[in-house]
Amino acid sequence: MNDNEHTLARRVIALLDLTSLNADDTDATIEALCRKALTPVGPVTAVCVYPQFVSLARHTLNTLGGDAVSVATVCNFPGGNLPLAEVLAHIREALENGANEIDVVYPYRALIAGDEQPGRELVAACKSLCEGRALLKVILETGELNAQLIYRASIDAINAGADFIKTSTGKVKVNATKQAAELMLQAIADTNPEVGLKPAGGMRTLSDAAQYLHLAKDILGEEWISPRHLRFGASSLLDNMLQHIGLSAETPAQGAY
């Protein structure tokens, strides 16, 4: 390990959304996730859990001294095809339970079928609920879209009010790719550089994460890269980052953050 790898690994940890979205998640799973979020070298940016665990995650983080760690949850997940009223009801409940960030799945199947309007309407309606209360991260499911549709969905989501655009749910065959991220970053550069990018799924190593950092720097500049603009949605990254730093995932955090 060299100093550059050490520094890069620490940087990636600070950009992580540590996630557990499994059918067999339990209270114990989420409590362990929150403990893991407070790493020996500082906290991740957020934990992302199913809506029924939002309150527990917030309480657990606060109890551990992780007040600064955001709680994110998913809505319209993973299919992106729930009725709009139902999606909005789920978001309202998540916000009431303490969610700081909402990761909502864009109705990508409608876009594939040639209808852009459902996506625009969903993002705009979700934004109106989240405005001033939570970041809105819109999951495009880029592994199901061609290049033209990735760019089109990115532009539409940004124009409708997305704070972040996110590649994937992690529940399809193809998740984050450098090609999709490049199209999404270009859409951000073309419309609103205040919008962030969240590649999610399929990243496991420092070199995986580094390619997205380099891509973001090339397109939007070094100063753009921060937790407000770039996140990694790949929990398997954390263990690898800690290994690069010379720590294990079981090493306890030192103090509160």
Side-chain angles (χ1 to χ4, degrees), residues 72-99:
T73 194
V74 291
C75 294
N76 204 24
F77 185 92
N81 54 1
L82 292 177
L84 179 57
E86 190 172 339
V87 176
L88 297 179
H90 291 165
I91 291 176
R92 288 189 192 94
E93 183 176 5
L95 294 173
E96 290 168 3
N97 287 336

Side-chain angles (χ1 to χ4, degrees), residues 1 5-19 35-47 69-70 205-206 209-210 213 225-227 230-249 251 253 257:
M1 181 188 69
E5 287 183 348
H6 187 286
T7 300
L8 185 58
R10 291 176 70 111
R11 189 178 198 190
V12 171
I13 289 172
L15 297 171
L16 270 178
D17 282 6
L18 195 63
T19 302
R35 287 192 295 271
K36 192 172 183 179
L38 304 179
T39 86
V41 294
V44 303
T45 294
V47 297
V69 178
S70 294
T205 67
L206 185 63
L213 286 167
I225 299 172
S226 72
L230 182 64
R231 302 282 185 85
F232 292 108
S235 292
S236 56
L237 274 176
L238 180 56
D239 289 351
N240 187 259
M241 297 307 101
L242 292 172
Q243 289 170 12
H244 277 280
I245 295 169
L247 300 167
S248 73
T251 305
Y257 302 100

Side-chain angles (χ1 to χ4, degrees), residues 127 130 134-138 161-165 194-197 228:
K127 179 64 173 182
C130 294
L135 285 177
L136 178 63
K137 290 140 75 186
V138 179
D163 295 304
F164 271 77
I165 48 177
E194 288 306 306
V195 172
L197 172 73
R228 177 55 188 84

